[in-house]
Amino acid sequence: MSTTEPSDGAVETRGIEPVPNSQRHARTRDLLPTWMAANITVLLLTMGATLAVSYGLDLWQTLVVATVAPAVSFGLVGLIGIAGKRGGAPGMALSRAVFGQRGNLLPGALIWVARWGWETINAVTGAYALLTVLDIVFGVRSNTFLVLVTLLLFVVATFAISGLGIDAVHRCNRWAVRLFAAFSLLVLGRLVARTDWDEVLRRPAGPTHLMIVGIGLIAAGGISWVPSAPDFTRYLPRGTSSAAIVRDTLGGAVVVVLPLTLMGAVMAVTTPDLASAADPVSFLGAALPLWLAVPYLLIALVGMLLINAMSMYSAGFTAQTLGIRLPRPWAVSVNAVISLLLGGVLMLVAPSFIGSFLAFLTLLAVTFSAWAGVFGADMLRRPAYDAVALLDTTRTSAYWYRGGFSPAAVAAWAIGLGCGLLFTTSDWFTGPLATGNPVGAYGLGWAATMVTSFLLYAVLPKPPVGPGAEPAEERATMAV
């Protein structure tokens, strides 16, 4: 991607301040490798196996789940990404226009904490991949010291890429998706040749309601990217096609999620333990021949590294909107340290990685859906964002509203979040209304959250917007 954002050498130094129109030279086709890279994770194989083994879905049901889930979740990512080209700022900075300068601290803090968990899960998976390669190539067995060293190496590499900025992320994404695609085709070819397709195709269909649960499970990962969507579209010119943003976002996700989920479901026919392996990465290493396992796991390691780099890149902006007064590259370091500490706990203490991962995904989707419902409803009525007001955190800001809060947005967010949790169940938490109704039975707590937040914000009276909050393009350009 060619941009001219201010930088010190190769480091992007722009923080949450909106990008001037004169420096917005990105292209929507850059979104394709971006969202492909965001899904390069062997955990999709594990989730595909879960659909087959734990949910009892057949191949055709899994095909439906693996198509609908990314279409729903990354369709939302693409739609919210339109706000990035309108305002030229990161998602959580634009969120100030919706919730108010102080009100935005509430969903911002919760989303920031949720990112700790997402980055921890990916860091642990990456460390497992490195440990597996060391084991099968050099015979080095895992121990506490090696676990911590591999985790540290992964987090440091993640910090390096995300700290450099958007250009580094895009360059790495383009190379990673090419390599991953090539070796995934090799794995797929071997799978096709060695699979007993009669056994795969004669598996009975599972319950329809578990298909809906499966859609929610796979979609949860995509929903976690919704608040980050504008972070990767803010360098697009204001005249960029909105349809192209949604198309390339959606296409990049589906082309990875669909085949990996199906591969996991097919592999589970002969290796059902994939759905519950304590260390899914080493399990895959044992299931593949050495010549294929090593490069595939190394490329998957790079993919998980890039997922974390993208997440930390966004987390740096979130930290800045919360008032952490550090340059963007160093704001990223806060999340790096936290994911290192939590990753060590998960690898050394947690009894079940997969159980922890699935429970976290469930709660993650609810957390991000509350924000998405409010922000999405606001996008329908707001064609532009005031660059001056976004950065003005004082009472003079057009986005100060009432005491720094937008009562409609904060109320819709809080009620939607509470409603979703009432209907949510996981290994860590069970809401009081999670049983005995379709919403809870189908794992649709996240959907209830989003719908409730969206509708409430749409009907609640909004506070008046201060002067200049719907600026002309020239005003937004002059502001930065």
Side-chain angles (χ1 to χ4, degrees):
M1 182 180 79
S2 60
T3 62
T4 56
E5 68 263 22
S7 62
D8 299 323
V11 180
E12 178 193 9
T13 57
R14 183 179 303 282
I16 61 174
E17 63 272 18
V19 182
N21 293 328
S22 61
Q23 296 180 14
R24 293 167 64 171
H25 304 299
R27 301 158 298 184
T28 57
R29 65 186 183 189
D30 290 317
L31 296 173
L32 197 64
T34 294
W35 297 115
M36 288 176 69
N39 289 283
I40 297 178
T41 171
V42 296
L43 292 176
L44 281 172
L45 296 174
T46 303
M47 287 191 281
T50 299
L51 295 178
V53 176
S54 302
Y55 294 179
L57 305 185
D58 65 15
L59 184 64
W60 307 114
Q61 290 176 313
T62 302
L63 176 63
V64 172
V65 170
T67 303
V68 174
V72 170
S73 57
F74 282 94
L76 287 170
V77 172
L79 289 171
I80 298 298
I82 296 171
K85 66 130 179 180
R86 289 180 181 174
M92 294 314 298
L94 298 175
S95 184
R96 288 173 167 177
V98 183
F99 290 89
Q101 292 289 357
R102 288 178 174 172
N104 192 51
L105 299 176
L106 300 174
L110 189 58
I111 287 173
W112 192 46
V113 171
R115 289 214 172 278
W116 299 353
W118 185 238
E119 290 154 11
T120 297
I121 291 290
N122 283 301
V124 168
T125 309
Y128 276 140
L130 188 53
L131 287 169
T132 300
V133 171
L134 291 174
D135 184 14
I136 62 181
V137 175
F138 302 106
V140 178
R141 298 294 180 182
S142 175
N143 56 56
T144 300
F145 175 76
L146 197 57
V147 164
L148 296 177
V149 169
T150 54
L151 186 62
L152 176 62
L153 289 174
F154 185 91
V155 172
V156 169
T158 299
F159 169 67
I161 296 172
S162 55
L164 286 173
I166 192 68
D167 275 343
V169 171
H170 275 297
R171 289 193 190 101
C172 292
N173 284 347
R174 283 194 288 267
W175 282 104
V177 296
R178 292 168 185 165
L179 291 171
F180 190 76
F183 278 91
S184 291
L185 287 175
L186 289 175
V187 175
L188 181 60
R190 185 177 186 275
L191 189 63
V192 169
R194 292 175 172 265
T195 296
D196 182 350
W197 289 100
D198 287 338
E199 184 179 355
V200 172
L201 296 175
R202 68 169 172 258
R203 287 176 62 89
T208 301
H209 80 274
L210 289 181
M211 288 180 63
I212 301 175
V213 174
I215 290 171
L217 173 68
I218 305 296
I223 291 172
S224 71
W225 288 110
V226 171
S228 302
D231 305 1
F232 301 99
T233 56
R234 65 197 182 116
Y235 282 102
L236 291 171
R238 285 180 57 86
T240 299
S241 165
S242 296
I245 292 175
V246 177
R247 179 198 66 213
D248 290 337
T249 299
L250 187 57
V254 172
V255 77
V256 177
V257 175
L258 176 58
L260 285 183
T261 306
L262 286 177
M263 285 169 60
V266 172
M267 292 175 70
V269 173
T270 54
T271 55
D273 289 344
L274 175 60
S276 57
D279 176 0
V281 181
S282 63
F283 189 92
L284 285 172
L288 296 172
L290 183 64
W291 66 269
L292 188 54
V294 173
Y296 192 64
L297 289 177
L298 285 175
I299 295 169
L301 170 63
V302 172
M304 288 176 281
L305 189 68
L306 292 175
I307 292 174
N308 246 25
M310 290 172 61
S311 181
M312 285 192 184
Y313 177 74
S314 293
F317 297 132
T318 305
Q320 287 183 317
T321 62
L322 293 177
I324 295 179
R325 299 185 180 278
L326 290 172
R328 188 205 60 78
W330 291 109
V332 172
S333 66
V334 178
N335 274 54
V337 172
I338 292 170
S339 65
L340 178 62
L341 295 175
L342 295 180
V345 172
L346 183 57
M347 293 184 78
L348 299 175
V349 178
S352 169
F353 173 76
I354 292 300
S356 300
F357 172 60
L358 296 181
F360 172 73
L361 272 185
T362 301
L363 297 179
L364 183 76
V366 174
T367 301
F368 286 79
S369 293
W371 180 89
V374 175
F375 191 88
D378 184 81
M379 281 183 62
L380 297 178
R381 59 186 286 271
R382 188 185 304 274
Y385 298 84
D386 185 339
V388 173
L390 288 175
L391 299 180
D392 182 3
T393 58
T394 69
R395 297 177 182 274
T396 62
S397 174
Y399 299 142
W400 186 254
Y401 302 125
R402 295 176 183 168
F405 294 82
S406 167
V410 173
W413 170 79
I415 294 172
L417 180 63
C419 177
L421 291 175
L422 288 176
F423 293 98
T424 297
T425 181
S426 72
D427 289 348
W428 297 347
F429 171 84
T430 298
L433 302 180
T435 57
N437 63 83
V439 175
Y442 294 164
L444 293 178
W446 61 274
T449 299
M450 192 175 299
V451 170
T452 302
S453 296
F454 182 95
L455 293 178
L456 276 177
Y457 184 75
V459 301
L460 287 174
K462 281 70 169 181
V465 178
E470 299 292 346
E473 182 175 351
E474 291 78 9
R475 173 173 166 79
T477 302
M478 294 172 60
V480 283

